[in-house]
């Protein structure tokens, strides 16, 4: 069995993005519409810029799937950049006769621009920013949609909601169920608090007029997980660490917390944990979920909660001070078309990263070459641990 893994390739204004997903079992039915639905969900959210009016992302499956079922071979996914039509000369993989691209020499603070140019020896900052761009997350969502298809077959659902944009915070919700997320994509900022939603939209409009960008926070929740994914026996196996790495690797994400981490830090121990109960009907159960579904780096069967903080986008229409990398003269950073906020979209990207991390954990634990092998292994395990 090939290990479950994925990689992406592609530049923001190049011909397109590619994702390759390996280690998906054969016989898994994929829903074409569900793949494109996730791509469209990533483009949602009040506060996106002009680029989202150019792109309508869809996934072209190039290998690994036949008549809607996986073959067990690598799955190659293509997402075209429609904007490439406007960049064909500047971003062509090959020299274009009679055309010399204008170089970008003004790095944006907070972006990969300066250190990327230093590290890779580029005189043109575009050679860095094209790959560092969060456009790459379209490929992650395409790969994540395949992982989600696998998890759906195992009864796992992964959702997200925005909990803060700049200074506006959504009301805390105690325990969320899958049904609570039904309308979330219809909300302009993908939050579950309608009052906060209005205030968030107003705050985006206010700061956009002031040429500012906005950050925020969101939560991803996975329901229906088997207890025992991940492992306490080695640092690499701990699922909390793996989820943090996966989510923190998303462009502009600066913090990741599991469950009520930041609140729990301020409480006495007796109010920080989830007491254990058992009943004939439910087996083991808890009345709280402060741990966010992970104990000892392993899922415990409770909903898994991953929260994250994203900084305001570093491309500003009111540029910050910077330095020309050729002349070293003080200058204003590159001013490009940009989004005001991407918090709602980032939550969808984080869903994808959580799906990919969980799919890998399932593949490691249960193996199998065909989806029925996976189901049989899960059933046998459930019987052994008396999971209901
Ligand atoms: C991005 C800058 C903007 C965003 C882009 C990420 O693109 P452009 O420079 O073409 O205006 O729209 O995000 C996407 C294209 C996308 O699909 O999410 C950046 O610099 O990170």
């Amino acid at each position: 069995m090939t290990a479950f893994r994925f990689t992406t390739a592609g530049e923001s204004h190049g011909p397109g993005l590619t994702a390759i997903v390996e280690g998906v079992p054969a016989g898994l039915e994929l829903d074409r519409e569900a793949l494109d639905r996730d791509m469209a969900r990533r483009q949602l959210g009040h506060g996106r810029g002009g680029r989202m009016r150019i792109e309508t992302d869809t996934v072209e499956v190039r290998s690994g799937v036949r008549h809607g079922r996986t073959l067990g071979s690598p799955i190659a996914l293509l997402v075209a950049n429609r904007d490439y039509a406007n960049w064909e000369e500047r971003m062509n993989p090959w020299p274009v006769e009679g055309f010399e691209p204008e170089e970008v020499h003004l790095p944006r603070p907070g972006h990969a621009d300066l250190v990327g140019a230093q590290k890779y020896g580029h005189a043109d900052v575009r050679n860095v920013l094209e790959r560092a761009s969060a456009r790459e997350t379209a490929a992650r969502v395409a790969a994540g949609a395949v992982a989600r298809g696998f998890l759906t077959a195992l009864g796992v659902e992964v959702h997200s909601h925005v909990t803060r944009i700049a200074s506006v915070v959504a009301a805390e919700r105690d325990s969320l169920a899958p049904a609570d997320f039904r309308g979330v994509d219809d909300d302009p900022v993908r939050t579950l608090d309608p009052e906060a939603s209005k205030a968030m939209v107003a705050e985006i409009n206010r700061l956009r007029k002031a040429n500012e960008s906005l950050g925020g926070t969101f939560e991803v929740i996975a329901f229906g997980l088997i207890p025992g994914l991940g492992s306490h026996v080695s640092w690499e196996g701990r699922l909390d660490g793996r989820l943090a790495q996966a989510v923190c690797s998303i462009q502009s994400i600066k913090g990741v917390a599991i469950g009520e981490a930041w609140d729990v830090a301020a409480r006495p121990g007796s109010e920080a944990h989830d007491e254990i109960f058992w009943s004939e009907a439910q087996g083991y159960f808890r009345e709280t979920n402060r741990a966010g579904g992970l104990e000892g780096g392993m899922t415990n069967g409770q909903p898994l909660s991953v929260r994250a903080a994203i900084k305001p986008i570093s491309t500003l229409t009111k540029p910050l001070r910077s330095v020309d990398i050729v002349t070293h003269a003080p200058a204003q950073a590159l001013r490009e078309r940009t989004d005001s906020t991407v918090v709602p979209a980032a939550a969808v990207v984080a869903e994808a990263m959580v799906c990919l991390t969980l799919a890998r954990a399932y593949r490691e634990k249960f193996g199998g070459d065909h989806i029925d092998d996976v189901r049989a292994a899960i059933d046998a395990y459930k019987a052994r641990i008396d999971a209901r």
Side-chain angles (χ1 to χ4, degrees), residues 11-12 27 51 55 79 95 144 146 151 212 223 264 319 325 329 346 361:
E11 278 74 40
S12 180
R51 179 76 184 269
E55 306 294 345
V79 182
V146 172
L151 295 174
E212 286 287 1
F223 299 93
V264 153
I325 62 165

Side-chain angles (χ1 to χ4, degrees), residues 153-366:
L154 306 180
V156 176
E157 283 185 45
V158 178
H159 299 283
S160 70
H161 64 119
V162 168
T163 49
R164 171 187 205 120
I165 289 186
S167 59
V168 186
V169 181
E172 276 277 339
R173 297 275 300 256
D174 251 6
S175 74
L176 287 164
D180 293 317
F181 292 90
R182 254 168 222 149
V184 72
D185 290 331
D186 300 325
D187 183 87
V189 282
R190 303 194 65 256
T191 187
L192 297 175
D193 174 352
E195 282 309 307
S197 170
K198 285 184 209 136
M200 287 172 181
V201 169
E203 188 66 348
I204 294 167
N205 293 344
R206 187 180 76 78
L207 285 171
R208 179 158 55 186
K209 276 199 200 102
N211 293 313
E212 286 287 1
S213 58
L214 302 82
T217 61
F218 58 81
E219 182 183 26
V220 177
I221 310 185
F223 299 93
L225 294 167
I226 191 92
L229 296 173
S231 174
H232 66 288
V233 304
S234 72
W235 70 267
E236 300 113 308
R238 286 182 177 259
L239 200 59
D240 33 19
R242 290 163 61 169
L243 286 162
Q245 201 275 331
V247 174
C248 217
S249 75
I250 300 168
Q251 292 79 344
S252 298
I253 301 269
K254 292 287 124 187
V256 176
I258 305 294
E260 297 179 14
W262 295 102
D263 292 341
V264 153
R267 285 186 221 146
S270 59
E271 293 165 31
H273 302 287
D274 306 302
E275 290 177 303
I276 302 170
F277 304 95
W278 189 91
S279 77
E280 196 67 54
Q282 294 179 70
Y284 293 108
F285 72 95
R286 322 282 177 122
E287 289 179 342
T288 53
N289 186 17
R290 293 155 174 158
L294 286 173
E295 286 174 305
M298 293 171 282
T299 52
N300 62 10
Q302 295 251 88
L304 172 76
S305 156
V306 183
R307 297 166 202 241
I310 178 165
K311 67 181 179 179
I313 294 161
S314 43
T315 308
L316 291 179
T317 43
K318 175 175 67 184
L320 299 174
R321 284 177 293 179
S322 183
V323 168
D324 185 302
I325 62 165
V326 175
T327 64
H328 297 157
Q332 289 197 324
L334 173 68
R335 186 199 300 242
E336 279 214 305
R337 169 186 68 190
T338 183
D339 304 305
S340 307
T341 191
V342 291
V343 187
V348 175
V349 178
E351 282 179 37
M353 293 308 290
V354 168
C355 284
L356 287 155
T357 307
L358 292 174
R360 183 165 170 183
Y362 268 99
R363 296 298 286 135
E364 281 168 1
K365 177 154 175 54
F366 296 105

Side-chain angles (χ1 to χ4, degrees), residues 66-95:
R66 187 166 179 229
H67 297 169
R69 281 192 189 272
T70 55
L71 302 174
S73 50
I75 300 175
L77 307 162
L78 237 67
V79 182
N81 287 329
R82 286 193 178 189
D83 207 12
Y84 181 59
N86 306 314
W87 290 77
E88 219 172 324
E89 289 184 320
R90 284 173 288 176
M91 288 303 294
N92 204 297
W94 304 110

Side-chain angles (χ1 to χ4, degrees), residues 12-13 17 42-43 48-52 54-55 57 81 83 87 108 111 126 129-130 132-138 251-252 313-315 336-339 342 345:
S12 180
H13 304 98
L17 303 159
R42 194 198 67 92
Q43 295 196 270
R48 299 305 299 269
R51 179 76 184 269
M52 286 305 98
I54 298 174
E55 306 294 345
D57 293 331
N81 287 329
D83 207 12
W87 290 77
R108 293 159 297 173
H111 228 282
R126 182 158 301 286
L129 71 85
E130 283 289 333
S133 163
R135 173 73 186 150
E136 184 259 347
T137 61
Q251 292 79 344
S252 298
I313 294 161
S314 43
T315 308
E336 279 214 305
R337 169 186 68 190
T338 183
D339 304 305
V342 291

